[in-house]
Amino acid sequence: MLKSIRKFENLHIACWLLKDTCWVLDMRVLGIIMIFPTLFLAFFITFKFRKIVSEFYHNLAVCFWIMANTIWMIGEFYYDDTLRPFAIIFFISGLLVLMIYYGFIYRKLSAFQDSREQES
Protein backbone atom coordinates (compact mmCIF):
# COMPACT_ATOMS: atom_id res chain seq x y z
CA MET A 1 0.00 0.00 0.00
CA LEU A 2 2.77 2.44 0.91
CA LYS A 3 4.47 2.14 -2.47
CA SER A 4 1.28 2.99 -4.37
CA ILE A 5 0.58 6.01 -2.16
CA ARG A 6 4.20 7.16 -2.40
CA LYS A 7 3.64 8.07 -6.07
CA PHE A 8 0.72 10.28 -5.09
CA GLU A 9 2.79 11.89 -2.33
CA ASN A 10 5.53 12.76 -4.81
CA LEU A 11 3.01 14.18 -7.27
CA HIS A 12 1.42 16.12 -4.42
CA ILE A 13 4.77 17.71 -3.54
CA ALA A 14 5.29 18.72 -7.19
CA CYS A 15 1.80 20.31 -7.34
CA TRP A 16 2.34 22.09 -4.04
CA LEU A 17 5.70 23.49 -5.16
CA LEU A 18 4.24 24.60 -8.48
CA LYS A 19 1.34 26.33 -6.71
CA ASP A 20 3.68 28.15 -4.34
CA THR A 21 6.06 29.07 -7.16
CA CYS A 22 3.13 30.61 -9.04
CA TRP A 23 2.27 32.53 -5.89
CA VAL A 24 5.79 33.93 -5.53
CA LEU A 25 5.96 34.80 -9.23
CA ASP A 26 2.49 36.42 -9.09
CA MET A 27 1.14 34.01 -11.71
CA ARG A 28 -2.44 34.26 -10.51
CA VAL A 29 -4.31 32.08 -12.98
CA LEU A 30 -1.94 29.11 -12.80
CA GLY A 31 -1.64 29.53 -9.03
CA ILE A 32 -5.42 29.34 -8.65
CA ILE A 33 -5.61 26.35 -11.01
CA MET A 34 -2.95 24.51 -8.98
CA ILE A 35 -5.06 24.79 -5.82
CA PHE A 36 -7.35 22.02 -7.05
CA PRO A 37 -4.89 19.19 -7.75
CA THR A 38 -2.85 20.13 -4.68
CA LEU A 39 -5.83 19.98 -2.33
CA PHE A 40 -7.31 16.94 -4.05
CA LEU A 41 -4.09 14.99 -3.61
CA ALA A 42 -3.72 16.13 0.01
CA PHE A 43 -7.22 14.91 0.87
CA PHE A 44 -6.79 11.74 -1.20
CA ILE A 45 -3.58 10.84 0.64
CA THR A 46 -5.21 11.61 3.98
CA PHE A 47 -8.14 9.36 3.10
CA LYS A 48 -5.85 6.54 1.99
CA PHE A 49 -3.97 6.73 5.31
CA ARG A 50 -7.13 6.87 7.43
CA LYS A 51 -6.36 3.50 9.06
CA ILE A 52 -2.77 4.38 10.04
CA VAL A 53 -3.27 6.77 12.94
CA SER A 54 0.03 8.68 12.82
CA GLU A 55 -0.07 9.10 9.04
CA PHE A 56 -3.70 10.22 9.15
CA TYR A 57 -3.10 12.96 11.72
CA HIS A 58 0.03 14.25 10.01
CA ASN A 59 -1.64 14.30 6.61
CA LEU A 60 -4.70 16.01 8.09
CA ALA A 61 -2.39 18.71 9.44
CA VAL A 62 -0.91 19.07 5.94
CA CYS A 63 -4.43 19.53 4.54
CA PHE A 64 -5.03 22.38 6.98
CA TRP A 65 -1.65 23.87 6.11
CA ILE A 66 -2.39 23.82 2.38
CA MET A 67 -5.85 25.32 2.94
CA ALA A 68 -4.27 28.09 5.03
CA ASN A 69 -1.61 28.60 2.41
CA THR A 70 -4.28 28.76 -0.31
CA ILE A 71 -6.37 31.34 1.55
CA TRP A 72 -3.28 33.45 2.14
CA MET A 73 -2.33 33.22 -1.56
CA ILE A 74 -5.82 34.21 -2.74
CA GLY A 75 -5.80 37.08 -0.25
CA GLU A 76 -2.52 38.38 -1.61
CA PHE A 77 -3.64 37.95 -5.20
CA TYR A 78 -7.08 39.54 -5.00
CA TYR A 79 -7.88 41.03 -1.58
CA ASP A 80 -4.93 43.21 -0.57
CA ASP A 81 -3.75 40.53 1.87
CA THR A 82 -6.86 40.93 4.04
CA LEU A 83 -7.57 37.18 4.23
CA ARG A 84 -4.53 36.41 6.36
CA PRO A 85 -6.56 36.21 9.63
CA PHE A 86 -8.66 33.45 8.04
CA ALA A 87 -5.50 31.64 6.96
CA ILE A 88 -4.23 31.79 10.54
CA ILE A 89 -7.31 29.85 11.65
CA PHE A 90 -6.33 26.98 9.35
CA PHE A 91 -2.66 27.10 10.39
CA ILE A 92 -3.75 26.89 14.04
CA SER A 93 -6.14 24.04 13.18
CA GLY A 94 -3.24 22.07 11.73
CA LEU A 95 -1.18 22.70 14.84
CA LEU A 96 -4.11 21.62 17.03
CA VAL A 97 -4.42 18.36 15.08
CA LEU A 98 -0.76 17.63 15.80
CA MET A 99 -1.10 18.70 19.43
CA ILE A 100 -4.01 16.29 19.85
CA TYR A 101 -2.04 13.52 18.21
CA TYR A 102 1.14 14.02 20.23
CA GLY A 103 -0.62 15.05 23.45
CA PHE A 104 -3.10 12.20 23.63
CA ILE A 105 -3.04 9.62 20.87
CA TYR A 106 0.72 9.10 20.50
CA ARG A 107 1.12 8.85 24.27
CA LYS A 108 -1.65 6.25 24.51
CA LEU A 109 -0.21 4.27 21.58
CA SER A 110 3.27 4.39 23.12
CA ALA A 111 1.96 3.30 26.52
CA PHE A 112 0.04 0.44 24.88
CA GLN A 113 3.11 -0.72 22.96
CA ASP A 114 5.27 -0.49 26.08
CA SER A 115 2.79 -2.62 28.05
CA ARG A 116 2.72 -5.23 25.26
CA GLU A 117 6.52 -5.37 25.20
CA GLN A 118 6.65 -5.87 28.97
CA GLU A 119 4.18 -8.76 28.70
CA SER A 120 6.43 -10.55 26.19
Side-chain angles (χ1 to χ4, degrees), residues 59-109:
N59 282 293
L60 186 59
V62 167
C63 289
F64 279 116
W65 184 358
I66 294 170
M67 287 186 290
N69 190 263
T70 296
I71 292 167
W72 185 3
M73 179 182 76
I74 291 169
E76 282 191 2
F77 279 171
Y78 301 107
Y79 298 101
D80 229 9
D81 202 18
T82 58
L83 298 182
R84 195 178 296 209
F86 298 103
I88 291 169
I89 293 168
F90 285 90
F91 280 123
I92 291 170
S93 297
L95 288 172
L96 285 173
V97 165
L98 291 179
M99 287 172 60
I100 290 167
Y101 173 73
Y102 284 106
F104 301 103
I105 297 166
Y106 178 77
R107 291 169 59 174
K108 285 183 183 180
L109 290 174

Side-chain angles (χ1 to χ4, degrees), residues 8-9 21 38 47 58 60 63 66 73 81 85 90 114 119:
F8 289 106
E9 288 177 323
T21 301
T38 306
F47 177 77
H58 285 87
L60 186 59
C63 289
I66 294 170
M73 179 182 76
D81 202 18
F90 285 90
D114 288 345
E119 291 174 5

Side-chain angles (χ1 to χ4, degrees), residues 22-38:
C22 292
W23 180 9
V24 156
L25 296 175
D26 204 30
M27 299 171 69
R28 296 176 182 203
V29 174
L30 187 55
I32 297 298
I33 290 170
M34 289 310 300
I35 290 170
F36 301 102
T38 306

